[in-house]
Amino acid sequence: MTIVRTVCILFTVLPSLTAAAKADDLLIWSPAKLSERSYKATMGFRLPAEWETSAGADIALAATKGGAPLPDSEQAMLWGRIVRTNVTPAGQSQRGVKVSVDTLRGSGALTLSRSRSWILSDSLDMQSSRSVSVGYDPIDARQASVTASQALKLIHPWTGTALSAGAGLSNASGDFSSSVAVSQTILPNLNLDASMTNPFSQDEAGSVNLRYRLNW
């Protein structure tokens, strides 16, 4: 019930916090209504510097029609991040470290990441990213896990078309996953996405989605 009261209070003071966020860009406040009876809010602060530092919390809750919280729907995640971004006329690179802790379930993760984007030709841009994550889950049989991933994306900015491919390796057992995807911009806020995971394997799966983005 403590989580329920906290979420209710947070969404009650939404107008004042939103006004504060507009007045001070150092405050992070991003509430969202995920469905008719589920809500999520990201809150925190950022400190601009050569290594930008930010920290905060993600809080979420879903309820039944009668107003009772759904089992295991509560979320109270604390997080912190340090990022350094270098920008040049030809591209941009970013290095970062992120720590997250699930205060309700006792799990956590430490992630090291690096990304780069640059102009490949007059009509093509390229993006690359890689990350290594060390996680801990007291409920999982292995408890500690290590995941490494890498992805490449080829973008045609004039048509809004993007092709991407990614791969990941998890744990000492050698669990391997891969994916390919294509994205097409139809309207400024409307995208068509198609993706396939683990192609040419028994676990092959695909999906097609039409996404509309609304900022408020």
Side-chain angles (χ1 to χ4, degrees):
M1 294 302 296
T2 302
I3 298 297
V4 177
R5 295 192 188 97
T6 301
V7 173
C8 291
I9 292 172
L10 288 172
F11 283 96
T12 300
V13 300
L14 168 61
S16 59
L17 287 177
T18 302
K22 293 180 179 178
D24 188 354
D25 191 47
L26 302 183
L27 176 65
I28 300 171
W29 172 246
S30 179
K33 186 175 182 180
L34 304 180
S35 67
E36 185 179 356
R37 292 179 297 275
S38 62
Y39 302 87
K40 182 177 181 180
T42 297
M43 64 201 73
F45 66 91
R46 62 172 61 91
L47 300 176
E50 183 177 4
W51 285 87
E52 182 179 290
T53 302
S54 57
D58 293 338
I59 295 180
L61 179 67
T64 63
K65 291 183 179 180
L70 288 174
D72 299 324
S73 68
E74 302 94 341
Q75 179 183 355
M77 181 77 71
L78 300 179
W79 54 266
R81 186 173 65 172
I82 302 176
V83 177
R84 180 175 181 177
T85 303
N86 294 321
V87 180
T88 66
Q92 176 178 302
S93 63
Q94 188 177 85
R95 290 178 290 170
V97 180
K98 182 177 181 179
V99 177
S100 59
V101 178
D102 188 333
T103 60
L104 299 180
R105 297 166 181 82
S107 59
L110 170 66
T111 303
L112 309 177
S113 62
R114 185 168 186 171
S115 63
R116 181 188 172 203
S117 60
W118 68 97
I119 300 173
L120 191 63
S121 68
D122 293 339
S123 58
L124 292 175
D125 295 340
M126 180 73 82
Q127 294 180 356
S128 68
S129 62
R130 62 184 63 178
S131 67
V132 176
S133 178
V134 180
Y136 174 77
D137 189 341
I139 301 177
D140 193 278
R142 296 177 181 173
Q143 292 192 341
S145 63
V146 179
T147 302
S149 63
Q150 184 164 349
L152 289 173
K153 179 181 286 189
L154 191 63
I155 305 168
H156 192 283
W158 314 124
T159 61
T161 305
L163 300 173
S164 60
L169 183 65
S170 179
N171 292 342
S173 63
D175 298 336
F176 179 80
S177 63
S178 61
S179 64
V180 292
V182 59
S183 175
Q184 176 64 56
T185 300
I186 301 175
L187 295 173
N189 291 328
L190 185 64
N191 282 67
L192 177 64
D193 302 323
S195 63
M196 182 174 292
T197 58
N198 298 321
F200 313 112
S201 71
Q202 295 180 350
D203 298 328
E204 179 180 345
S207 65
V208 178
N209 298 296
L210 190 63
R211 294 187 297 109
Y212 182 76
R213 184 179 68 254
L214 178 63
N215 297 326
W216 59 282

